[in-house]
Amino acid sequence: EAQVTQNPRYLITVTGKKLTVTCSQNMNHEYMSWYRQDPGLGLRQIYYSMNVEVTDKGDVPEGYKVSRKEKRNFPLILESPSPNQTSLYFCASSLGFGDEKLLFGSGTQLSVL
Amino acid sequence: GEDVEQSLFLSVREGDSSVINCTYTDSSSTYLYWYKQEPGAGLQLLTYIFSNMDMKQDQRLTVLLNKKDKHLSLRIADTQTGDSAIYFCAETFSGGYNKLIFGAGTRLAVHP
């Protein structure tokens, strides 16, 4: 089954403790992206990747890092989380940009205390 | 700058039609999308329309695009309780950031 898998589904952590949210897709998609969803703001792009070893900043990249060492994986790294990074995070992938089938993972609810 | 606006809440009676409206700013958008988010779930691509189309129909869903007014709407015929969800309008952004611009989402509540 074609899918985008994120882990963990829920995460509670404390300020300053490094964490990684994993994202994996099994469709050989070139394009992957991370969004955060906040009430009243919709989804905002954090980072995206057009292909292996090619990543770029989205609208709200501050406080986040990503890597794309393999085509299927696109982890989101918070080196020193802060409470304003409490949010619902979504990973998404598509065959290429402009392809209408942008598929989303189920989301990761992160709370930073 | 780019912006997508939607009303935040819509309440309809089961069996009626729902119309969710959206306005966008990037006139060069290639695709415009409607995504559905059910409680505790990710975003599901509901339907999309290419920018050179005026209307697209897919079973109970009708998408209307008014390019002059930069207005997009989603009509759901015979709305059911299973249609209760948050609906996001999104446009492709052509400014080199390779991203979708999302509205804040419209929460649709269907009551008996």
Side-chain angles (χ1 to χ4, degrees):
Chain A
E1 181 190 351
Q3 59 185 358
V4 178
T5 303
Q6 291 178 232
N7 280 296
R9 187 78 174 81
Y10 301 95
L11 179 59
I12 300 174
T13 189
V14 295
T15 299
K17 186 175 181 182
K18 181 179 178 180
L19 65 92
T20 299
V21 184
T22 64
C23 175
S24 179
Q25 48 92 5
N26 62 0
M27 297 160 284
N28 203 37
H29 282 172
E30 292 192 349
Y31 179 84
M32 298 186 75
S33 182
W34 276 102
Y35 287 83
R36 60 177 286 174
Q37 181 183 3
D38 300 291
L41 296 177
L43 281 82
R44 294 175 293 168
Q45 191 184 57
I46 303 171
Y47 268 95
Y48 66 94
S49 170
M50 298 294 285
N51 212 326
V52 175
E53 301 293 358
V54 180
T55 64
D56 211 342
K57 297 176 181 178
D59 283 329
V60 289
E62 293 78 20
Y64 304 95
K65 284 175 57 178
V66 292
S67 70
R68 190 88 181 276
K69 293 186 172 58
E70 313 163 273
K71 202 170 195 179
R72 63 181 292 127
N73 295 322
F74 190 45
L76 179 70
I77 304 155
L78 284 72
E79 294 271 3
S80 183
S82 61
N84 65 12
Q85 293 179 297
T86 292
S87 187
L88 179 57
Y89 291 86
F90 287 103
C91 180
S93 75
S94 67
L95 195 59
F97 183 69
D99 185 291
E100 68 275 9
K101 294 182 180 63
L102 185 64
L103 297 179
F104 282 81
S106 297
T108 296
Q109 180 64 58
L110 172 65
S111 295
V112 183
L113 305 178
Chain B
E2 70 277 9
D3 198 15
V4 176
E5 293 189 353
Q6 306 177 234
S7 54
L8 294 182
F9 190 75
L10 176 66
S11 178
V12 298
R13 186 174 299 171
E14 193 174 10
D16 288 350
S17 292
S18 307
V19 180
I20 303 172
N21 294 301
C22 167
T23 57
Y24 61 96
T25 56
D26 189 351
S27 59
S28 56
S29 290
T30 309
Y31 290 101
L32 294 129
Y33 305 83
W34 285 104
Y35 281 85
K36 177 182 180 182
Q37 184 182 31
E38 295 182 79
L43 274 75
Q44 171 197 351
L45 178 61
L46 203 56
T47 186
Y48 64 93
I49 187 166
F50 193 53
S51 58
N52 67 355
M53 297 169 65
D54 296 323
M55 185 182 86
K56 180 178 180 181
Q57 189 151 1
D58 184 2
Q59 299 182 334
R60 293 189 299 120
L61 305 178
T62 302
V63 179
L64 294 177
L65 175 60
N66 180 331
K67 288 186 286 293
K68 175 175 169 291
D69 295 336
K70 296 179 189 169
H71 183 265
L72 182 74
S73 68
L74 173 70
R75 178 177 180 270
I76 305 173
D78 186 25
T79 311
Q80 303 297 307
T81 54
D83 295 322
S84 294
I86 302 176
Y87 292 81
F88 290 94
C89 170
E91 62 170 344
T92 50
F93 175 60
S94 59
Y97 278 95
N98 296 292
K99 67 184 178 185
L100 295 184
I101 311 291
F102 284 86
T106 299
R107 183 178 293 276
L108 174 64
V110 183
H111 56 87

Short mmCIF file of all heavy atoms in Angstrom, two decimals, chain A residues 48-89:
data_model
loop_
_atom_site.label_atom_id
_atom_site.label_comp_id
_atom_site.label_asym_id
_atom_site.label_seq_id
_atom_site.Cartn_x
_atom_site.Cartn_y
_atom_site.Cartn_z
N TYR A 48 11.54 21.57 2.42
CA TYR A 48 11.18 20.64 1.38
C TYR A 48 12.45 20.09 0.73
O TYR A 48 13.55 20.64 0.90
CB TYR A 48 10.27 21.29 0.33
CG TYR A 48 10.92 22.38 -0.49
CD1 TYR A 48 11.51 22.12 -1.71
CD2 TYR A 48 10.91 23.70 -0.01
CE1 TYR A 48 12.09 23.13 -2.45
CE2 TYR A 48 11.49 24.72 -0.75
CZ TYR A 48 12.07 24.43 -1.97
OH TYR A 48 12.65 25.44 -2.70
N SER A 49 12.27 19.01 -0.01
CA SER A 49 13.39 18.38 -0.68
C SER A 49 12.95 17.92 -2.07
O SER A 49 11.96 17.21 -2.21
CB SER A 49 13.87 17.17 0.13
OG SER A 49 14.80 16.41 -0.61
N MET A 50 13.69 18.36 -3.07
CA MET A 50 13.35 17.99 -4.44
C MET A 50 13.93 16.63 -4.82
O MET A 50 13.46 15.99 -5.75
CB MET A 50 13.87 19.05 -5.42
CG MET A 50 13.26 20.42 -5.22
SD MET A 50 11.50 20.44 -5.56
CE MET A 50 11.52 20.39 -7.34
N ASN A 51 14.98 16.22 -4.11
CA ASN A 51 15.58 14.91 -4.38
C ASN A 51 16.64 14.63 -3.32
O ASN A 51 16.89 15.46 -2.43
CB ASN A 51 16.18 14.87 -5.79
CG ASN A 51 16.09 13.48 -6.40
OD1 ASN A 51 16.20 12.47 -5.69
ND2 ASN A 51 15.90 13.40 -7.70
N VAL A 52 17.30 13.51 -3.42
CA VAL A 52 18.34 13.15 -2.46
C VAL A 52 19.41 14.25 -2.42
O VAL A 52 19.84 14.74 -3.45
CB VAL A 52 18.97 11.80 -2.84
CG1 VAL A 52 20.14 11.46 -1.93
CG2 VAL A 52 17.93 10.70 -2.80
N GLU A 53 19.75 14.62 -1.19
CA GLU A 53 20.78 15.63 -0.92
C GLU A 53 20.39 17.03 -1.39
O GLU A 53 21.24 17.93 -1.38
CB GLU A 53 22.13 15.23 -1.56
CG GLU A 53 22.68 13.89 -1.09
CD GLU A 53 23.10 13.88 0.37
OE1 GLU A 53 23.00 14.92 1.04
OE2 GLU A 53 23.52 12.82 0.87
N VAL A 54 19.13 17.23 -1.76
CA VAL A 54 18.67 18.56 -2.17
C VAL A 54 17.54 18.98 -1.25
O VAL A 54 16.44 18.43 -1.30
CB VAL A 54 18.17 18.57 -3.63
CG1 VAL A 54 17.69 19.98 -4.01
CG2 VAL A 54 19.24 18.08 -4.58
N THR A 55 17.83 19.94 -0.35
CA THR A 55 16.80 20.43 0.56
C THR A 55 16.80 21.95 0.54
O THR A 55 17.82 22.58 0.21
CB THR A 55 17.04 19.95 2.00
OG1 THR A 55 18.26 20.51 2.48
CG2 THR A 55 17.10 18.43 2.08
N ASP A 56 15.67 22.52 0.91
CA ASP A 56 15.59 23.98 0.94
C ASP A 56 14.55 24.43 1.95
O ASP A 56 13.65 23.66 2.31
CB ASP A 56 15.26 24.54 -0.44
CG ASP A 56 15.88 25.92 -0.65
OD1 ASP A 56 16.26 26.57 0.35
OD2 ASP A 56 15.98 26.36 -1.81
N LYS A 57 14.69 25.67 2.38
CA LYS A 57 13.81 26.21 3.41
C LYS A 57 12.45 26.56 2.84
O LYS A 57 12.31 27.02 1.71
CB LYS A 57 14.44 27.48 4.01
CG LYS A 57 15.74 27.23 4.72
CD LYS A 57 16.34 28.55 5.21
CE LYS A 57 17.67 28.29 5.91
NZ LYS A 57 18.29 29.57 6.35
N GLY A 58 11.44 26.37 3.70
CA GLY A 58 10.10 26.82 3.37
C GLY A 58 9.83 28.15 4.05
O GLY A 58 10.71 28.98 4.19
N ASP A 59 8.61 28.31 4.53
CA ASP A 59 8.22 29.57 5.17
C ASP A 59 8.72 29.74 6.60
O ASP A 59 8.99 30.84 7.04
CB ASP A 59 6.69 29.67 5.21
CG ASP A 59 6.12 30.03 3.86
OD1 ASP A 59 6.81 30.75 3.12
OD2 ASP A 59 5.00 29.60 3.56
N VAL A 60 8.77 28.64 7.33
CA VAL A 60 9.06 28.72 8.77
C VAL A 60 10.16 27.73 9.16
O VAL A 60 9.95 26.83 9.97
CB VAL A 60 7.78 28.49 9.60
CG1 VAL A 60 6.84 29.67 9.49
CG2 VAL A 60 7.06 27.20 9.18
N PRO A 61 11.38 27.89 8.66
CA PRO A 61 12.43 26.91 8.91
C PRO A 61 13.18 27.08 10.22
O PRO A 61 13.91 26.17 10.64
CB PRO A 61 13.39 27.16 7.74
CG PRO A 61 13.25 28.63 7.48
CD PRO A 61 11.80 28.94 7.74
N GLU A 62 12.99 28.21 10.91
CA GLU A 62 13.80 28.50 12.09
C GLU A 62 13.56 27.46 13.17
O GLU A 62 12.42 27.18 13.55
CB GLU A 62 13.47 29.89 12.64
CG GLU A 62 13.88 31.04 11.73
CD GLU A 62 12.89 31.24 10.58
OE1 GLU A 62 11.73 30.78 10.68
OE2 GLU A 62 13.31 31.84 9.57
N GLY A 63 14.64 26.92 13.69
CA GLY A 63 14.57 25.94 14.77
C GLY A 63 14.47 24.50 14.29
O GLY A 63 14.38 23.58 15.11
N TYR A 64 14.49 24.30 12.98
CA TYR A 64 14.36 22.96 12.40
C TYR A 64 15.54 22.65 11.48
O TYR A 64 16.14 23.54 10.91
CB TYR A 64 13.07 22.84 11.58
CG TYR A 64 11.82 23.17 12.32
CD1 TYR A 64 11.27 24.45 12.25
CD2 TYR A 64 11.16 22.21 13.09
CE1 TYR A 64 10.10 24.78 12.92
CE2 TYR A 64 9.99 22.53 13.77
CZ TYR A 64 9.47 23.81 13.68
OH TYR A 64 8.32 24.12 14.36
N LYS A 65 15.81 21.36 11.37
CA LYS A 65 16.77 20.86 10.38
C LYS A 65 16.16 19.65 9.71
O LYS A 65 15.30 18.97 10.29
CB LYS A 65 18.08 20.45 11.06
CG LYS A 65 18.98 21.59 11.47
CD LYS A 65 20.19 21.09 12.24
CE LYS A 65 21.01 20.06 11.49
NZ LYS A 65 22.21 19.65 12.25
N VAL A 66 16.62 19.37 8.50
CA VAL A 66 16.19 18.16 7.80
C VAL A 66 17.41 17.55 7.13
O VAL A 66 18.46 18.17 7.02
CB VAL A 66 15.12 18.45 6.73
CG1 VAL A 66 13.81 18.89 7.35
CG2 VAL A 66 15.63 19.49 5.73
N SER A 67 17.24 16.31 6.69
CA SER A 67 18.26 15.69 5.87
C SER A 67 17.58 14.76 4.88
O SER A 67 16.47 14.27 5.12
CB SER A 67 19.27 14.91 6.72
OG SER A 67 18.67 13.76 7.28
N ARG A 68 18.23 14.54 3.75
CA ARG A 68 17.68 13.63 2.74
C ARG A 68 18.83 12.80 2.19
O ARG A 68 19.34 13.02 1.10
CB ARG A 68 17.01 14.43 1.62
CG ARG A 68 16.22 13.57 0.64
CD ARG A 68 14.82 13.33 1.04
NE ARG A 68 14.08 12.49 0.14
CZ ARG A 68 13.45 12.91 -0.97
NH1 ARG A 68 13.52 14.18 -1.33
NH2 ARG A 68 12.77 12.07 -1.70
N LYS A 69 19.25 11.84 2.97
CA LYS A 69 20.35 10.97 2.57
C LYS A 69 19.89 9.84 1.66
O LYS A 69 20.67 9.30 0.87
CB LYS A 69 21.04 10.41 3.80
CG LYS A 69 21.76 11.47 4.64
CD LYS A 69 22.55 10.82 5.77
CE LYS A 69 23.42 11.82 6.49
NZ LYS A 69 22.68 12.94 7.07
N GLU A 70 18.62 9.48 1.81
CA GLU A 70 18.06 8.44 0.96
C GLU A 70 16.74 8.98 0.42
O GLU A 70 16.12 9.84 1.04
CB GLU A 70 17.74 7.18 1.74
CG GLU A 70 18.81 6.69 2.66
CD GLU A 70 18.22 5.71 3.66
OE1 GLU A 70 17.74 6.17 4.71
OE2 GLU A 70 18.24 4.50 3.38
N LYS A 71 16.31 8.43 -0.70
CA LYS A 71 15.11 8.93 -1.34
C LYS A 71 13.88 8.74 -0.46
O LYS A 71 12.98 9.57 -0.43
CB LYS A 71 14.91 8.21 -2.66
CG LYS A 71 14.05 8.96 -3.66
CD LYS A 71 14.12 8.28 -5.00
CE LYS A 71 13.59 9.18 -6.09
NZ LYS A 71 13.66 8.56 -7.42
N ARG A 72 13.78 7.65 0.26
CA ARG A 72 12.56 7.32 0.97
C ARG A 72 12.41 8.04 2.31
O ARG A 72 11.31 8.13 2.83
CB ARG A 72 12.47 5.81 1.18
CG ARG A 72 13.56 5.22 2.05
CD ARG A 72 13.39 3.70 2.19
NE ARG A 72 12.21 3.39 2.96
CZ ARG A 72 11.25 2.57 2.54
NH1 ARG A 72 11.32 2.01 1.34
NH2 ARG A 72 10.20 2.31 3.30
N ASN A 73 13.50 8.53 2.89
CA ASN A 73 13.43 9.09 4.24
C ASN A 73 13.72 10.59 4.28
O ASN A 73 14.63 11.07 3.59
CB ASN A 73 14.44 8.38 5.16
CG ASN A 73 14.09 6.92 5.36
OD1 ASN A 73 12.92 6.56 5.46
ND2 ASN A 73 15.11 6.07 5.39
N PHE A 74 12.97 11.28 5.12
CA PHE A 74 13.12 12.74 5.23
C PHE A 74 12.85 13.13 6.69
O PHE A 74 11.78 13.64 7.02
CB PHE A 74 12.16 13.42 4.26
CG PHE A 74 12.37 14.90 4.09
CD1 PHE A 74 13.64 15.43 3.91
CD2 PHE A 74 11.28 15.77 4.06
CE1 PHE A 74 13.84 16.79 3.74
CE2 PHE A 74 11.46 17.13 3.88
CZ PHE A 74 12.74 17.64 3.72
N PRO A 75 13.79 12.90 7.58
CA PRO A 75 13.54 13.20 9.00
C PRO A 75 13.57 14.69 9.29
O PRO A 75 14.30 15.46 8.67
CB PRO A 75 14.71 12.48 9.70
CG PRO A 75 15.79 12.42 8.67
CD PRO A 75 15.09 12.27 7.34
N LEU A 76 12.77 15.07 10.28
CA LEU A 76 12.72 16.45 10.77
C LEU A 76 13.39 16.47 12.14
O LEU A 76 13.01 15.71 13.03
CB LEU A 76 11.27 16.93 10.89
CG LEU A 76 11.05 18.34 11.40
CD1 LEU A 76 11.52 19.36 10.37
CD2 LEU A 76 9.58 18.56 11.74
N ILE A 77 14.37 17.34 12.30
CA ILE A 77 15.18 17.38 13.52
C ILE A 77 14.97 18.71 14.23
O ILE A 77 15.08 19.77 13.61
CB ILE A 77 16.67 17.20 13.18
CG1 ILE A 77 16.88 15.89 12.41
CG2 ILE A 77 17.52 17.24 14.45
CD1 ILE A 77 18.10 15.87 11.54
N LEU A 78 14.68 18.62 15.52
CA LEU A 78 14.60 19.82 16.36
C LEU A 78 15.77 19.73 17.33
O LEU A 78 15.74 18.93 18.27
CB LEU A 78 13.26 19.89 17.10
CG LEU A 78 12.04 20.30 16.28
CD1 LEU A 78 11.59 19.20 15.33
CD2 LEU A 78 10.90 20.71 17.20
N GLU A 79 16.78 20.51 17.11
CA GLU A 79 18.01 20.42 17.91
C GLU A 79 17.77 20.88 19.35
O GLU A 79 18.27 20.28 20.29
CB GLU A 79 19.10 21.29 17.29
CG GLU A 79 19.58 20.83 15.93
CD GLU A 79 20.74 19.83 16.02
OE1 GLU A 79 21.13 19.48 17.15
OE2 GLU A 79 21.26 19.42 14.97
N SER A 80 17.00 21.93 19.51
CA SER A 80 16.72 22.46 20.84
C SER A 80 15.28 22.96 20.87
O SER A 80 15.02 24.16 20.72
CB SER A 80 17.70 23.59 21.19
OG SER A 80 17.47 24.06 22.50
N PRO A 81 14.32 22.05 21.05
CA PRO A 81 12.91 22.42 20.94
C PRO A 81 12.51 23.49 21.95
O PRO A 81 13.03 23.53 23.08
CB PRO A 81 12.18 21.10 21.22
CG PRO A 81 13.17 20.03 20.99
CD PRO A 81 14.50 20.62 21.33
N SER A 82 11.58 24.32 21.53
CA SER A 82 11.03 25.34 22.41
C SER A 82 9.50 25.23 22.38
O SER A 82 8.93 24.65 21.45
CB SER A 82 11.47 26.74 21.96
OG SER A 82 11.00 27.00 20.66
N PRO A 83 8.83 25.78 23.41
CA PRO A 83 7.37 25.66 23.47
C PRO A 83 6.64 26.16 22.23
O PRO A 83 5.57 25.66 21.89
CB PRO A 83 7.02 26.49 24.71
CG PRO A 83 8.21 26.35 25.59
CD PRO A 83 9.39 26.37 24.65
N ASN A 84 7.20 27.15 21.52
CA ASN A 84 6.51 27.65 20.32
C ASN A 84 6.59 26.68 19.15
O ASN A 84 6.04 26.95 18.07
CB ASN A 84 7.01 29.05 19.92
CG ASN A 84 8.46 29.05 19.48
OD1 ASN A 84 9.07 28.01 19.27
ND2 ASN A 84 9.03 30.24 19.34
N GLN A 85 7.27 25.57 19.35
CA GLN A 85 7.28 24.51 18.33
C GLN A 85 6.25 23.42 18.65
O GLN A 85 6.16 22.42 17.91
CB GLN A 85 8.67 23.91 18.20
CG GLN A 85 9.67 24.90 17.62
CD GLN A 85 11.07 24.34 17.51
OE1 GLN A 85 11.69 24.00 18.54
NE2 GLN A 85 11.58 24.24 16.30
N THR A 86 5.46 23.64 19.69
CA THR A 86 4.32 22.76 19.94
C THR A 86 3.35 22.92 18.78
O THR A 86 2.87 24.02 18.50
CB THR A 86 3.64 23.14 21.26
OG1 THR A 86 4.52 22.82 22.34
CG2 THR A 86 2.32 22.39 21.44
N SER A 87 3.07 21.82 18.09
CA SER A 87 2.27 21.91 16.88
C SER A 87 1.97 20.50 16.37
O SER A 87 2.45 19.51 16.91
CB SER A 87 3.04 22.70 15.81
OG SER A 87 2.25 22.95 14.67
N LEU A 88 1.16 20.45 15.32
CA LEU A 88 0.89 19.21 14.61
C LEU A 88 1.71 19.23 13.33
O LEU A 88 1.59 20.17 12.54
CB LEU A 88 -0.60 19.09 14.30
CG LEU A 88 -1.09 17.86 13.55
CD1 LEU A 88 -0.72 16.58 14.28
CD2 LEU A 88 -2.61 17.94 13.34
N TYR A 89 2.54 18.22 13.14
CA TYR A 89 3.47 18.20 12.02
C TYR A 89 3.06 17.14 11.00
O TYR A 89 2.69 16.02 11.35
CB TYR A 89 4.89 17.89 12.50
CG TYR A 89 5.48 19.01 13.31
CD1 TYR A 89 5.26 19.10 14.68
CD2 TYR A 89 6.25 19.99 12.70
CE1 TYR A 89 5.78 20.14 15.42
CE2 TYR A 89 6.78 21.04 13.43
CZ TYR A 89 6.54 21.11 14.79
OH TYR A 89 7.06 22.16 15.52
#
